[in-house]
Amino acid sequence: MSSPDYARRSLHLLHSPLFASPTHSLDQHDRALLSYKKARAIELTIEDLLSLSPKFWELHNDPIALLDGAATTLLTIQYNLCAGTIARYAVHRRELLSLVEDLLQYRKHGQFMLTELGHGIDVANLETTATLLPSGDFILHSPTPSAAKYMPPTVPAGEPCVAVVFAKLIVNGQDRGHRPFIVPLSDGKQMCAGVLSRLLPFRGESHPVMHSLTTFHNVRLPQSALLGSLDAPADLHANLLDVMHRVAIGTIAIGCVSLPALQGVVTIGALYSLRRHVGAGTKRTPILAFRTQHAPILATAADAFVMQALQRWAIEQFCDRRVDGRVRNGVAAVFKSVMVHHSQRGVLAVSERCGAQGMFAHNMLTTFYGELRGLAIAEGDVLGLAIRLINELLLERYALPLPVDPNSLLARHEAGLFTELRSIFKSIKNHRGEDVNRLILPRCLPTMEAIGHRMAYDAAITQGVRPALVDLYVANVVKQDPAWYAENAGLGRPAQLAMETRAQDAVLPILGELVQEMDVFAYVNAPLVSDERWDAFVDRLRTYEGNARVDAFEQGPVHNELHEMVRSHL
């Protein structure tokens, strides 16, 4: 499954002490710092950033992310968002090239500071200001607590750190829209004057990242810190989308990170289910034999292969400069939505089938889920993306690529949902009123996912994904909106169940072959997948022994307070 797309460039890292050493017993802060060292092991060039080369997409598709999602988080911030933003301006400002190279070689840490505590994805209303002084310098300032930049890990981590900080450009009292500024944050040991970073508690579940809350207090910046022009833009909204263009790239790139997670979930679930047996003596049976056990594993395998086809198509569309930029961004939003949704659903279902062992971080599944929750928000919250996309489609500002087969089941579902939505939309007089809030917004995400399901089906059929996998994918999608298919496609409950059963029967015999094609076993370090790994894991556990003797029936001392309480009740 990996060979037709991107080679596993990170294989050589798996046996290095950096990646091979267990980290679960380490302090969270130490693990977070270790992730910076791991991130340094993956390299890109400025050409990769600007051209969105295969190597760029390979970075976001590498299964090394399964071993340390925190390192992947740092890499996407450092390379795509920070270095990528600066590289765009370095084409015409050659003095910036050395900074880009420092970031690519990890001689400096890079951050991307856009969203604020009080505004989240409402980036049009950011409060941070950069005020032009008569000297040509700027004063960067966070005017209120709600203007604090939220999430970027800005606390000192051993190397000098710079950030691309977004602020409102104020010239002679006039708000000239948002601009990115290059801002030094720390020398690696202490923060720069006027920059205050507060370390947030670790998220839990996911690999630890030193997420922070950062404010600026009258920080003086040179004129060269500004990326872009001092001139007032003709369209403030268009200007905002332009200066934060790497976020749109990040939307599709972040979606790509979900594919190795799908592959890892299937690999772990299948191997554990083969290893775990029930029964006694010669009648012991692997739990994989039971439909209740293998059903979510098969479903996730189908998702993985169909999503890989969608990924190929989406990247091709996104990189085609002949396609309207709004359409390319729409494809990225749809891709990320279905990729993250399928991944979250798959890891949750398979982890439940792994019982108590599926609950522990050392078996990777709960960590996958924590990482995927972060991916759903990073570089565009999925719900926010859906609301913007569907409303723009309803206003007919542009249209997404049409179905290859408009008569396919998933294309009919997409068309049906959109027809319903358009009918409601046309009956609403005020497109910014309460009726849109009540009647349109709750339907945006399901409608965007329906578009994505159809696109995924088209991509899978066009690229020759095994028919059994495509059939199972369709059956899985039907289960997400069974009422519509019963009402509009003549598929009642018995027909839907029969469709799923036939597809499962066809996929189960080739599950081992599918796991081999996914080719991520080398990146799976979960102990539950084999007896050998489990034994090695147990041998490393902290042990407690002793010679204590306790009489289980000896009555302990009765505390007076407890005695009085019992007596008062009697």
Side-chain angles (χ1 to χ4, degrees):
M1 190 175 182
S2 64
S3 54
D5 296 285
Y6 308 117
R8 304 303 198 203
R9 289 198 309 122
S10 59
L11 274 172
H12 69 284
L13 297 173
L14 297 180
H15 302 293
S16 67
L18 197 59
F19 283 89
S21 302
T23 61
H24 296 293
S25 61
L26 293 179
D27 173 83
Q28 294 280 77
H29 188 267
D30 291 338
R31 286 181 64 190
L33 290 175
L34 184 62
S35 293
Y36 281 95
K37 295 180 180 179
K38 293 178 180 179
R40 296 184 68 157
I42 309 295
E43 296 182 357
L44 289 180
T45 67
I46 189 171
E47 289 78 15
D48 294 323
L49 298 179
L50 295 175
S51 67
L52 302 183
S53 69
K55 194 175 175 182
F56 174 84
W57 299 112
E58 175 191 331
L59 165 67
H60 295 90
N61 225 190
D62 199 307
I64 200 78
L66 302 180
L67 296 175
D68 195 330
T72 302
T73 296
L74 297 173
L75 279 170
T76 58
I77 296 172
Q78 178 105 0
Y79 288 165
N80 177 53
L81 296 177
C82 182
T85 297
I86 299 172
R88 181 191 193 191
Y89 295 93
V91 173
H92 302 290
R93 289 181 53 184
R94 311 301 288 180
E95 76 276 11
L96 295 175
L97 288 174
S98 60
L99 174 56
V100 174
E101 192 60 28
D102 281 345
L103 292 168
L104 293 176
Q105 296 299 321
Y106 250 90
R107 292 188 286 264
K108 289 185 174 71
H109 292 163
Q111 299 299 334
F112 185 84
M113 308 182 72
L114 175 62
T115 55
E116 294 178 353
L117 177 64
H119 303 283
I121 61 174
D122 182 20
V123 294
N125 291 302
L126 300 183
E127 298 180 64
T128 303
T129 58
T131 304
L132 179 66
L133 301 176
S135 65
D137 291 350
F138 300 93
I139 291 293
L140 182 68
H141 186 63
S142 306
T144 68
S146 63
K149 298 295 185 179
Y150 188 68
M151 288 297 275
T154 58
V155 297
E159 300 290 346
C161 183
V162 299
V164 172
V165 179
F166 286 80
K168 292 191 294 186
L169 174 61
I170 307 298
V171 179
N172 297 325
Q174 178 191 20
D175 179 356
R176 295 194 175 178
H178 298 82
R179 299 291 193 282
F181 291 82
I182 299 174
V183 181
L185 298 182
S186 78
D187 64 0
K189 298 176 182 176
Q190 62 176 325
M191 303 302 293
C192 295
V195 183
L196 177 63
S197 178
R198 293 178 170 91
L199 179 63
L200 293 167
F202 291 108
R203 283 166 46 193
E205 294 182 338
S206 59
H207 291 93
V209 176
M210 294 191 290
H211 294 298
S212 309
L213 197 62
T214 311
T215 50
F216 303 97
H217 303 275
N218 296 315
V219 176
R220 195 176 185 107
L221 301 175
Q223 186 175 0
S224 59
L226 171 65
L227 296 175
S229 169
L230 285 171
D231 298 335
D235 185 330
L236 290 176
H237 180 66
N239 169 73
L240 177 58
L241 294 179
D242 179 64
V243 297
M244 54 179 278
H245 76 288
R246 294 301 299 198
V247 173
I249 297 170
T251 298
I252 189 168
I254 284 293
C256 293
V257 178
S258 302
L259 181 59
L262 277 171
Q263 298 166 339
V265 167
V266 175
T267 301
I268 293 171
L271 293 177
Y272 169 78
S273 301
L274 280 171
R275 171 178 169 249
R276 189 64 179 264
H277 289 66
V278 293
T282 59
K283 295 184 179 181
R284 287 178 61 78
T285 303
I287 60 174
L288 186 66
F290 298 101
R291 179 58 44 109
T292 49
Q293 183 70 19
H294 63 237
I297 301 171
L298 299 180
T300 308
D303 288 346
F305 279 85
V306 173
M307 286 299 100
Q308 186 177 51
L310 177 62
Q311 176 183 274
R312 295 188 189 110
W313 177 83
I315 290 174
E316 180 181 329
Q317 290 287 310
F318 188 82
C319 293
D320 188 347
R321 297 295 176 181
R322 297 168 299 176
V323 177
D324 186 323
R326 298 170 299 176
V327 174
R328 289 188 283 119
N329 290 347
V331 168
V334 170
F335 168 73
K336 178 186 174 182
S337 172
V338 292
M339 182 68 91
V340 170
H341 177 248
H342 287 319
S343 301
Q344 287 181 311
R345 183 185 63 181
V347 69
L348 189 60
V350 173
S351 66
E352 288 177 349
R353 300 275 57 79
C354 292
Q357 293 196 55
M359 299 170 58
F360 286 85
H362 59 257
N363 283 322
M364 303 181 80
L365 295 174
T366 58
T367 303
F368 289 173
Y369 191 75
E371 306 286 4
L372 289 166
R373 288 186 61 197
L375 294 181
I377 297 169
E379 273 83 293
D381 178 271
V382 167
L383 179 59
L385 293 173
I387 290 172
R388 184 175 71 182
L389 173 68
I390 298 303
N391 276 277
E392 289 179 341
L393 294 178
L394 289 171
L395 290 168
E396 299 182 349
R397 291 177 178 169
Y398 54 89
L400 295 181
L402 296 173
V404 174
D405 178 8
N407 295 316
S408 72
L409 197 57
L410 301 192
R412 289 159 57 196
H413 180 240
E414 173 196 4
L417 293 191
F418 207 82
T419 298
E420 292 175 7
L421 204 55
R422 184 179 286 112
S423 177
I424 297 171
F425 192 72
K426 287 183 177 179
S427 70
I428 297 173
K429 295 181 180 179
N430 181 4
H431 293 158
R432 294 185 179 273
E434 181 59 24
D435 284 344
V436 170
N437 178 39
R438 292 171 49 249
L439 303 174
I440 300 296
L441 299 194
R443 297 171 179 241
C444 288
L445 183 56
T447 302
M448 183 168 78
E449 289 179 346
I451 296 171
H453 297 152
R454 183 269 300 171
M455 289 179 171
Y457 172 83
D458 285 349
I461 293 295
T462 301
Q463 296 174 35
V465 174
R466 289 178 179 85
L469 293 171
V470 178
D471 290 345
L472 183 52
Y473 178 77
V474 172
N476 295 335
V477 170
V478 168
K479 288 171 62 177
Q480 296 182 42
D481 193 1
W484 187 94
Y485 291 96
E487 294 171 353
N488 299 280
L491 282 175
R493 288 181 64 253
Q496 293 180 24
L497 291 171
M499 176 193 303
E500 180 185 32
T501 299
R502 285 193 302 271
Q504 290 169 335
D505 290 344
V507 174
L508 180 59
I510 61 172
L511 179 58
E513 181 182 338
L514 299 179
V515 170
Q516 286 186 323
E517 289 185 25
M518 290 179 187
D519 191 27
V520 298
F521 178 73
Y523 297 86
V524 169
N525 61 12
L528 85 171
V529 299
S530 72
D531 292 339
E532 294 77 17
R533 288 194 182 185
W534 180 256
D535 291 343
F537 170 74
V538 171
D539 287 343
R540 291 194 300 266
L541 292 176
R542 183 182 299 176
T543 59
Y544 297 84
E545 296 180 289
N547 294 301
R549 293 181 178 273
V550 176
D551 186 341
F553 298 99
E554 180 182 1
Q555 184 176 4
V558 178
H559 297 290
N560 290 335
E561 295 86 349
L562 178 61
H563 181 69
E564 291 296 324
M565 183 177 69
V566 171
R567 190 168 63 179
S568 68
H569 280 283
L570 295 175

